[in-house]
Amino acid sequence: MKLPASLNSLLFATIAVSTLSAQQSSEVSITKTALPDWVDSTILEIPESPPSAEHSDGVWYLLSDNQINSIEAVSFYRGAKQLTNESGVEDYSTITIEFDPSYQKLQLHTLKIHRDGNTIDRLTEQVFEVLTSDTSRENLLYDRNVEAHAILKDIQTGDILEYAYSVHGSNPVLDGRFDWAARLNWNVPLKERRIRLIWPKDTPLHIKHFNTQLTPAVSEKPAYTEYNWEAYNITAFLTESDLPSWYNPWAIVKLSSFQDWQEVARWGSKLYAIDEPIPQILKEEIKRIRAIPNKATQIMEAL
């Protein structure tokens, strides 16, 4: 449910920042604000009980809602999950939001606990710690991504955790271009999946669907075009653990301003432009490789 417009004037609460260096902490921007006006907020349907046969791991995701305002470079997310047993309470009483503070700002809008017909607002009191990204640590990579991480206390079996946030800012490396993808199914059941995109009018958008027949509802507005994908009662999708990394079995929607790989190459080549002249020995090697008639052999020689 949207908060009253008057609440937009509320103070931006400061979030606790920890486990980062002083310099990193000063770069992180996290505030608590009302729900943005452009967001399409539906009423969260509270189920009487989950289909127990599908919830051995203790969680039932009721809502996963991505909304992207590409005109303002804002990405909104709203999620809701029910913890169906003690294992779920132990494993899923957390919220983690990843972003890059070098060009993004995080705004928290909603944090609620639905319990026995009552709603408990936890946003004001909840403390978020800022940690280095799990993805970076797992891959032994250094990047600037961080995670706003919250451990919710006093959570009980049957509780529904609802939360919403926005991330402002787009990667400057993309130079105003747009490229985004999301899965429609997970390895756990999902009651409702929504994706909404606000796109500049008369601007080409390239959409690709993988392993799904779902298509968007498109509506033309005076200043933009709106795309909506909606799916309901999605069963858990289980995959083999030893699938090759290049194989994708998931249902995915990919949205991009890039028309094809040639356009990607033209964009990417600028990132590696070198002002210094090419050495003569390298010019001769390039000439030799280009003279090879077989394209595959050319590539192998270049590598």
Side-chain angles (χ1 to χ4, degrees), residues 23-295:
Q23 180 179 358
Q24 288 173 310
S25 297
S26 65
E27 295 175 349
V28 177
S29 174
I30 304 178
T31 54
K32 297 177 180 180
T33 73
L35 207 64
D37 292 336
W38 65 270
V39 167
D40 180 16
S41 182
T42 59
I43 297 175
L44 179 66
E45 295 185 6
I46 307 299
E48 295 182 2
S49 61
S52 58
E54 294 189 52
H55 301 277
S56 59
D57 58 351
V59 64
W60 183 25
Y61 285 89
L62 303 178
L63 175 66
S64 177
D65 182 7
N66 289 99
Q67 299 189 40
I68 302 172
N69 187 331
S70 64
I71 298 174
E72 300 182 6
V74 183
S75 177
F76 170 86
Y77 182 79
R78 180 181 176 214
K81 54 186 176 181
Q82 184 173 32
L83 311 183
T84 59
N85 57 34
E86 291 184 4
S87 176
V89 171
E90 181 177 348
D91 295 338
Y92 294 96
S93 295
T94 60
I95 296 171
T96 301
I97 306 167
E98 185 172 345
F99 65 105
D100 186 334
S102 67
Y103 64 87
Q104 291 180 319
K105 298 179 180 181
L106 173 61
Q107 292 184 340
L108 304 170
H109 307 304
T110 302
L111 179 54
K112 299 177 181 178
I113 310 299
H114 300 278
R115 178 187 299 162
D116 299 328
N118 299 312
T119 299
I120 306 167
D121 192 334
R122 289 282 187 87
L123 182 60
T124 302
E125 66 184 58
Q126 182 62 52
V127 173
F128 281 74
E129 292 186 325
V130 179
L131 314 172
T132 55
S133 168
D134 265 346
T135 304
S136 302
R137 294 196 300 270
E138 289 171 0
N139 295 328
L140 301 179
L141 297 173
Y142 172 78
D143 60 27
R144 300 176 66 91
N145 283 4
V146 299
E147 292 176 346
H149 183 71
I151 301 176
L152 281 67
K153 298 180 180 179
D154 187 30
I155 301 300
Q156 304 175 13
T157 298
D159 282 357
I160 295 174
L161 280 55
E162 179 189 357
Y163 57 100
Y165 62 87
S166 296
V167 176
H168 294 247
S170 61
N171 194 329
V173 171
L174 290 175
D175 193 25
R177 295 170 177 83
F178 177 82
D179 193 73
W180 185 85
R183 276 167 36 183
L184 298 173
N185 56 352
W186 298 345
N187 57 0
V188 293
L190 177 56
K191 188 174 185 293
E192 183 178 355
R193 181 72 172 106
R194 301 182 71 218
I195 296 174
R196 175 174 176 251
L197 173 66
I198 292 177
W199 189 252
K201 203 171 185 66
D202 301 324
T203 301
L205 174 66
H206 305 283
I207 303 174
K208 288 188 176 181
H209 298 88
F210 301 90
N211 303 316
T212 180
Q213 300 299 317
L214 188 66
T215 57
V218 182
S219 56
E220 297 292 341
K221 308 296 182 180
Y224 61 87
T225 303
E226 183 173 324
Y227 298 82
N228 283 279
W229 291 259
E230 295 183 5
Y232 301 90
N233 301 318
I234 305 168
T235 58
F237 184 74
L238 304 179
T239 62
E240 299 291 338
S241 59
D242 57 350
L243 289 175
S245 59
W246 51 263
Y247 177 70
N248 168 51
W250 302 98
I252 290 178
V253 173
K254 181 172 178 56
L255 311 172
S256 183
S257 62
F258 291 103
Q259 180 177 354
D260 49 33
W261 282 110
Q262 285 75 20
E263 186 174 351
V264 173
R266 288 193 295 272
W267 159 78
S269 63
K270 298 177 183 178
L271 302 177
Y272 300 94
I274 301 175
D275 293 334
E276 298 178 1
I278 300 175
Q280 184 61 35
I281 188 172
L282 180 55
K283 288 182 179 179
E284 293 173 359
E285 180 64 8
I286 292 173
K287 183 178 180 180
R288 182 189 70 81
I289 293 174
R290 285 178 172 172
I292 298 173
N294 184 279
K295 191 69 175 179

